[in-house]
CSV table of all heavy atoms in Angstrom, one decimal:
chain,number,residue,atom,x,y,z
A,11,PHE,N,0.8,-1.2,0.0
A,11,PHE,CA,0.0,0.0,0.0
A,11,PHE,C,0.8,1.3,0.0
A,11,PHE,O,0.5,2.3,-0.6
A,11,PHE,CB,-1.0,0.0,1.2
A,11,PHE,CG,-2.2,-0.9,0.9
A,11,PHE,CD1,-2.2,-2.2,1.3
A,11,PHE,CD2,-3.2,-0.3,0.0
A,11,PHE,CE1,-3.3,-3.0,0.9
A,11,PHE,CE2,-4.3,-1.2,-0.3
A,11,PHE,CZ,-4.4,-2.5,0.1
A,12,LEU,N,2.0,1.2,0.7
A,12,LEU,CA,2.9,2.4,0.5
A,12,LEU,C,3.3,2.6,-0.9
A,12,LEU,O,3.4,3.8,-1.3
A,12,LEU,CB,4.2,2.2,1.5
A,12,LEU,CG,4.0,2.5,2.9
A,12,LEU,CD1,5.1,1.9,3.8
A,12,LEU,CD2,3.7,3.9,3.2
A,13,GLU,N,3.6,1.5,-1.6
A,13,GLU,CA,4.0,1.7,-3.0
A,13,GLU,C,2.9,2.2,-3.8
A,13,GLU,O,3.0,3.1,-4.7
A,13,GLU,CB,4.4,0.3,-3.5
A,13,GLU,CG,5.1,0.4,-4.9
A,13,GLU,CD,5.5,-1.0,-5.4
A,13,GLU,OE1,6.3,-1.7,-4.6
A,13,GLU,OE2,5.2,-1.5,-6.5
A,14,MET,N,1.6,1.8,-3.6
A,14,MET,CA,0.5,2.2,-4.3
A,14,MET,C,0.3,3.7,-4.0
A,14,MET,O,0.0,4.5,-5.0
A,14,MET,CB,-0.7,1.4,-3.9
A,14,MET,CG,-2.0,1.7,-4.8
A,14,MET,SD,-3.1,2.9,-4.0
A,14,MET,CE,-3.5,2.4,-2.5
A,15,VAL,N,0.4,4.1,-2.8
A,15,VAL,CA,0.2,5.5,-2.4
A,15,VAL,C,1.2,6.4,-2.9
A,15,VAL,O,1.0,7.5,-3.4
A,15,VAL,CB,0.0,5.6,-0.9
A,15,VAL,CG1,0.0,7.0,-0.4
A,15,VAL,CG2,-1.3,4.9,-0.4
A,16,HIS,N,2.5,5.9,-3.0
A,16,HIS,CA,3.6,6.7,-3.5
A,16,HIS,C,3.3,7.2,-4.9
A,16,HIS,O,3.7,8.3,-5.3
A,16,HIS,CB,4.9,5.8,-3.4
A,16,HIS,CG,6.1,6.5,-4.0
A,16,HIS,ND1,6.7,7.5,-3.2
A,16,HIS,CD2,6.7,6.4,-5.1
A,16,HIS,CE1,7.7,8.0,-3.9
A,16,HIS,NE2,7.8,7.3,-5.0
A,17,SER,N,2.6,6.4,-5.7
A,17,SER,CA,2.4,6.8,-7.1
A,17,SER,C,1.3,7.9,-7.3
A,17,SER,O,1.1,8.4,-8.4
A,17,SER,CB,2.0,5.6,-8.0
A,17,SER,OG,0.8,5.0,-7.6
A,18,LEU,N,0.6,8.1,-6.2
A,18,LEU,CA,-0.5,9.2,-6.2
A,18,LEU,C,0.1,10.5,-6.2
A,18,LEU,O,1.2,10.7,-5.7
A,18,LEU,CB,-1.5,8.9,-5.1
A,18,LEU,CG,-2.2,7.5,-5.1
A,18,LEU,CD1,-3.1,7.4,-3.9
A,18,LEU,CD2,-3.1,7.5,-6.3
A,19,PRO,N,-0.7,11.6,-6.7
A,19,PRO,CA,-0.2,12.9,-6.5
A,19,PRO,C,0.0,13.4,-5.1
A,19,PRO,O,-0.7,12.9,-4.2
A,19,PRO,CB,-1.3,13.8,-7.2
A,19,PRO,CG,-2.1,12.8,-8.0
A,19,PRO,CD,-1.9,11.5,-7.4
A,20,ASP,N,1.0,14.2,-4.9
A,20,ASP,CA,1.3,14.7,-3.6
A,20,ASP,C,0.1,15.5,-3.0
A,20,ASP,O,-0.5,16.3,-3.7
A,20,ASP,CB,2.6,15.6,-3.5
A,20,ASP,CG,3.8,14.8,-3.7
A,20,ASP,OD1,3.7,13.5,-3.5
A,20,ASP,OD2,4.9,15.3,-4.2
A,21,SER,N,-0.1,15.3,-1.8
A,21,SER,CA,-1.2,16.1,-1.0
A,21,SER,C,-1.0,15.9,0.5
A,21,SER,O,-0.2,14.9,0.9
A,21,SER,CB,-2.5,15.6,-1.4
A,21,SER,OG,-2.8,14.3,-1.0
A,22,ASP,N,-1.7,16.6,1.3
A,22,ASP,CA,-1.7,16.4,2.8
A,22,ASP,C,-2.3,15.1,3.1
A,22,ASP,O,-1.7,14.5,4.0
A,22,ASP,CB,-2.4,17.5,3.4
A,22,ASP,CG,-1.7,18.9,3.4
A,22,ASP,OD1,-0.6,18.9,3.1
A,22,ASP,OD2,-2.5,19.9,3.6
A,23,GLU,N,-3.2,14.6,2.4
A,23,GLU,CA,-3.9,13.4,2.7
A,23,GLU,C,-2.9,12.2,2.4
A,23,GLU,O,-2.9,11.3,3.1
A,23,GLU,CB,-5.2,13.3,1.9
A,23,GLU,CG,-6.3,14.2,2.3
A,23,GLU,CD,-6.2,15.6,1.8
A,23,GLU,OE1,-5.3,15.9,1.0
A,23,GLU,OE2,-7.0,16.5,2.3
A,24,LYS,N,-2.3,12.4,1.3
A,24,LYS,CA,-1.3,11.3,0.9
A,24,LYS,C,-0.2,11.1,2.0
A,24,LYS,O,0.1,10.1,2.5
A,24,LYS,CB,-0.6,11.7,-0.4
A,24,LYS,CG,0.5,10.7,-0.8
A,24,LYS,CD,1.1,11.1,-2.1
A,24,LYS,CE,2.4,10.3,-2.4
A,24,LYS,NZ,3.1,10.6,-3.7
A,25,SER,N,0.3,12.3,2.5
A,25,SER,CA,1.3,12.3,3.6
A,25,SER,C,0.7,11.7,4.9
A,25,SER,O,1.4,10.8,5.5
A,25,SER,CB,1.8,13.7,3.9
A,25,SER,OG,2.5,14.2,2.8
A,26,LYS,N,-0.6,12.0,5.3
A,26,LYS,CA,-1.2,11.4,6.4
A,26,LYS,C,-1.3,9.9,6.3
A,26,LYS,O,-1.0,9.1,7.2
A,26,LYS,CB,-2.6,12.1,6.7
A,26,LYS,CG,-2.5,13.5,7.1
A,26,LYS,CD,-3.8,14.1,7.3
A,26,LYS,CE,-3.8,15.5,7.6
A,26,LYS,NZ,-5.1,16.2,7.6
A,27,VAL,N,-1.7,9.5,5.1
A,27,VAL,CA,-1.8,8.0,4.9
A,27,VAL,C,-0.5,7.3,5.0
A,27,VAL,O,-0.4,6.3,5.6
A,27,VAL,CB,-2.6,7.7,3.6
A,27,VAL,CG1,-2.5,6.2,3.2
A,27,VAL,CG2,-4.1,8.2,3.6
A,28,GLN,N,0.5,7.9,4.4
A,28,GLN,CA,1.9,7.3,4.4
A,28,GLN,C,2.3,7.2,5.8
A,28,GLN,O,2.9,6.2,6.2
A,28,GLN,CB,2.8,8.1,3.5
A,28,GLN,CG,2.6,7.9,2.0
A,28,GLN,CD,3.4,8.9,1.2
A,28,GLN,OE1,3.6,10.0,1.5
A,28,GLN,NE2,4.0,8.3,0.2
A,29,ASP,N,2.2,8.3,6.5
A,29,ASP,CA,2.7,8.3,7.9
A,29,ASP,C,1.9,7.2,8.7
A,29,ASP,O,2.5,6.5,9.6
A,29,ASP,CB,2.5,9.7,8.6
A,29,ASP,CG,3.4,10.7,8.1
A,29,ASP,OD1,4.4,10.3,7.4
A,29,ASP,OD2,3.1,11.9,8.3
A,30,HIS,N,0.6,7.2,8.5
A,30,HIS,CA,-0.2,6.1,9.3
A,30,HIS,C,0.3,4.7,8.9
A,30,HIS,O,0.5,3.8,9.8
A,30,HIS,CB,-1.6,6.3,8.9
A,30,HIS,CG,-2.5,5.5,9.9
A,30,HIS,ND1,-3.2,6.1,10.9
A,30,HIS,CD2,-2.8,4.2,9.9
A,30,HIS,CE1,-3.8,5.1,11.6
A,30,HIS,NE2,-3.6,4.0,11.0
A,31,LEU,N,0.4,4.5,7.7
A,31,LEU,CA,0.9,3.1,7.2
A,31,LEU,C,2.3,2.8,7.8
A,31,LEU,O,2.4,1.6,8.3
A,31,LEU,CB,1.0,3.0,5.7
A,31,LEU,CG,-0.4,3.0,5.0
A,31,LEU,CD1,-0.2,3.2,3.4
A,31,LEU,CD2,-1.1,1.8,5.3
A,32,LYS,N,3.2,3.8,7.9
A,32,LYS,CA,4.5,3.5,8.4
A,32,LYS,C,4.4,3.2,9.9
A,32,LYS,O,5.3,2.5,10.4
A,32,LYS,CB,5.4,4.7,8.1
A,32,LYS,CG,5.8,4.8,6.7
A,32,LYS,CD,6.6,6.1,6.4
A,32,LYS,CE,6.8,6.3,5.0
A,32,LYS,NZ,7.5,7.5,4.7
A,33,SER,N,3.5,3.6,10.6
A,33,SER,CA,3.3,3.4,12.1
A,33,SER,C,2.3,2.4,12.4
A,33,SER,O,2.0,2.1,13.6
A,33,SER,CB,3.0,4.7,12.8
A,33,SER,OG,1.8,5.3,12.4
A,34,THR,N,1.8,1.6,11.4
A,34,THR,CA,0.8,0.6,11.6
A,34,THR,C,1.5,-0.6,12.5
A,34,THR,O,2.6,-1.1,12.1
A,34,THR,CB,0.3,0.0,10.3
A,34,THR,OG1,-0.5,1.1,9.7
A,34,THR,CG2,-0.6,-1.2,10.5
A,35,ALA,N,0.8,-1.1,13.5
A,35,ALA,CA,1.2,-2.3,14.2
A,35,ALA,C,0.6,-3.6,13.8
A,35,ALA,O,1.2,-4.6,13.9
A,35,ALA,CB,0.9,-2.0,15.8
A,36,PHE,N,-0.6,-3.4,13.3
A,36,PHE,CA,-1.3,-4.7,12.8
A,36,PHE,C,-2.4,-4.3,11.8
A,36,PHE,O,-2.9,-3.1,11.8
A,36,PHE,CB,-1.9,-5.5,14.0
A,36,PHE,CG,-3.0,-4.8,14.8
A,36,PHE,CD1,-4.3,-4.9,14.4
A,36,PHE,CD2,-2.7,-4.0,15.9
A,36,PHE,CE1,-5.4,-4.3,15.1
A,36,PHE,CE2,-3.7,-3.4,16.6
A,36,PHE,CZ,-5.1,-3.5,16.2
A,37,VAL,N,-2.7,-5.3,11.0
A,37,VAL,CA,-3.8,-5.0,9.9
A,37,VAL,C,-4.9,-6.0,10.1
A,37,VAL,O,-4.5,-7.3,10.3
A,37,VAL,CB,-3.1,-5.2,8.5
A,37,VAL,CG1,-4.2,-5.0,7.5
A,37,VAL,CG2,-1.9,-4.3,8.3
A,38,ILE,N,-6.1,-5.5,10.2
A,38,ILE,CA,-7.3,-6.5,10.2
A,38,ILE,C,-7.9,-6.4,8.9
A,38,ILE,O,-8.3,-5.3,8.4
A,38,ILE,CB,-8.2,-6.1,11.4
A,38,ILE,CG1,-7.5,-6.4,12.7
A,38,ILE,CG2,-9.5,-6.9,11.2
A,38,ILE,CD1,-8.3,-6.4,14.0
A,39,SER,N,-8.0,-7.5,8.2
A,39,SER,CA,-8.7,-7.6,6.9
A,39,SER,C,-10.0,-8.2,7.0
A,39,SER,O,-10.2,-9.3,7.7
A,39,SER,CB,-7.8,-8.4,5.9
A,39,SER,OG,-6.5,-7.8,5.8
A,40,CYS,N,-11.0,-7.7,6.4
A,40,CYS,CA,-12.4,-8.3,6.3
A,40,CYS,C,-12.6,-8.7,4.9
A,40,CYS,O,-12.5,-7.9,3.9
A,40,CYS,CB,-13.4,-7.2,6.7
A,40,CYS,SG,-13.0,-6.4,8.3
A,41,ARG,N,-12.9,-10.0,4.7
A,41,ARG,CA,-13.4,-10.5,3.4
A,41,ARG,C,-14.9,-10.6,3.4
A,41,ARG,O,-15.5,-11.5,4.1
A,41,ARG,CB,-12.7,-11.9,3.2
A,41,ARG,CG,-13.1,-12.4,1.8
A,41,ARG,CD,-12.2,-13.6,1.5
A,41,ARG,NE,-12.7,-14.3,0.3
A,41,ARG,CZ,-13.3,-15.4,0.2
A,41,ARG,NH1,-13.7,-16.1,1.3
A,41,ARG,NH2,-13.8,-15.8,-1.0
A,42,LEU,N,-15.4,-9.8,2.6
A,42,LEU,CA,-17.0,-9.8,2.5
A,42,LEU,C,-17.4,-10.7,1.3
A,42,LEU,O,-16.8,-10.5,0.1
A,42,LEU,CB,-17.4,-8.4,2.3
A,42,LEU,CG,-17.0,-7.3,3.3
A,42,LEU,CD1,-17.5,-6.0,3.0
A,42,LEU,CD2,-17.5,-7.7,4.7
A,43,PRO,N,-18.3,-11.6,1.5
A,43,PRO,CA,-18.7,-12.4,0.3
A,43,PRO,C,-19.7,-11.7,-0.5
A,43,PRO,O,-20.9,-11.8,-0.4
A,43,PRO,CB,-19.4,-13.6,1.1
A,43,PRO,CG,-19.8,-13.0,2.3
A,43,PRO,CD,-18.9,-11.9,2.7
A,44,THR,N,-19.2,-10.9,-1.5
A,44,THR,CA,-20.1,-10.0,-2.3
A,44,THR,C,-21.2,-10.7,-3.0
A,44,THR,O,-22.3,-10.1,-3.3
A,44,THR,CB,-19.2,-9.2,-3.3
A,44,THR,OG1,-18.5,-10.1,-4.1
A,44,THR,CG2,-18.3,-8.3,-2.5
A,45,SER,N,-21.1,-12.0,-3.3
A,45,SER,CA,-22.1,-12.7,-4.0
A,45,SER,C,-23.2,-13.2,-3.1
A,45,SER,O,-24.3,-13.6,-3.5
A,45,SER,CB,-21.6,-13.9,-4.7
A,45,SER,OG,-21.0,-14.9,-3.8
A,46,ASP,N,-23.0,-13.0,-1.7
A,46,ASP,CA,-24.0,-13.5,-0.7
A,46,ASP,C,-23.9,-12.7,0.5
A,46,ASP,O,-23.4,-13.1,1.6
A,46,ASP,CB,-23.6,-15.0,-0.4
A,46,ASP,CG,-24.6,-15.7,0.5
A,46,ASP,OD1,-25.7,-15.4,0.4
A,46,ASP,OD2,-24.2,-16.3,1.5
A,47,ILE,N,-24.3,-11.4,0.4
A,47,ILE,CA,-24.3,-10.5,1.6
A,47,ILE,C,-25.5,-9.6,1.4
A,47,ILE,O,-25.9,-9.2,0.4
A,47,ILE,CB,-23.0,-9.7,1.7
A,47,ILE,CG1,-22.8,-9.0,3.0
A,47,ILE,CG2,-22.8,-8.8,0.5
A,47,ILE,CD1,-21.4,-8.5,3.3
A,48,THR,N,-26.0,-9.2,2.6
A,48,THR,CA,-27.1,-8.3,2.7
A,48,THR,C,-26.7,-7.0,3.3
A,48,THR,O,-25.6,-6.8,3.8
A,48,THR,CB,-28.3,-8.9,3.5
A,48,THR,OG1,-27.9,-9.1,4.9
A,48,THR,CG2,-28.7,-10.3,3.0
A,49,GLU,N,-27.7,-6.1,3.4
A,49,GLU,CA,-27.3,-4.8,4.1
A,49,GLU,C,-26.9,-5.0,5.6
A,49,GLU,O,-26.0,-4.3,6.0
A,49,GLU,CB,-28.6,-3.9,4.0
A,49,GLU,CG,-28.3,-2.5,4.5
A,49,GLU,CD,-29.5,-1.6,4.4
A,49,GLU,OE1,-30.3,-1.9,3.5
A,49,GLU,OE2,-29.5,-0.6,5.2
A,50,ALA,N,-27.5,-6.0,6.2
A,50,ALA,CA,-27.1,-6.4,7.6
A,50,ALA,C,-25.6,-6.7,7.6
A,50,ALA,O,-24.9,-6.4,8.5
A,50,ALA,CB,-28.0,-7.4,8.2
A,51,GLY,N,-25.1,-7.4,6.6
A,51,GLY,CA,-23.7,-7.8,6.6
A,51,GLY,C,-22.8,-6.7,6.4
A,51,GLY,O,-21.8,-6.5,7.1
A,52,TYR,N,-23.2,-5.7,5.6
A,52,TYR,CA,-22.4,-4.5,5.4
A,52,TYR,C,-22.5,-3.6,6.6
A,52,TYR,O,-21.5,-3.0,7.1
A,52,TYR,CB,-23.0,-3.7,4.1
A,52,TYR,CG,-22.6,-4.3,2.8
A,52,TYR,CD1,-23.6,-4.8,2.0
A,52,TYR,CD2,-21.3,-4.4,2.4
A,52,TYR,CE1,-23.3,-5.2,0.7
A,52,TYR,CE2,-21.0,-4.9,1.2
A,52,TYR,CZ,-21.9,-5.4,0.3
A,52,TYR,OH,-21.7,-6.0,-0.9
């Protein structure tokens, strides 16, 4: 994600995201079953 963000145009938001990613301690990923999910799931 740092590599992906690096290719985006410079901005304050880009800097904030880069700083946050660099200080991340853990990542929680959620896999949503898009073929079988309702509004309650979202």
Side-chain angles (χ1 to χ4, degrees):
F11 281 98
L12 280 169
E13 187 176 312
M14 186 269 300
V15 168
H16 179 73
S17 66
L18 298 174
D20 288 340
S21 67
D22 289 342
E23 292 79 9
K24 175 182 173 178
S25 295
K26 288 177 188 174
V27 168
Q28 287 173 317
D29 290 345
H30 191 101
L31 290 171
K32 290 174 185 175
S33 61
T34 293
F36 63 92
V37 181
I38 292 189
S39 302
C40 308
R41 181 173 172 251
L42 306 177
T44 55
S45 63
D46 185 42
I47 192 167
T48 65
E49 186 174 337
Y52 287 116

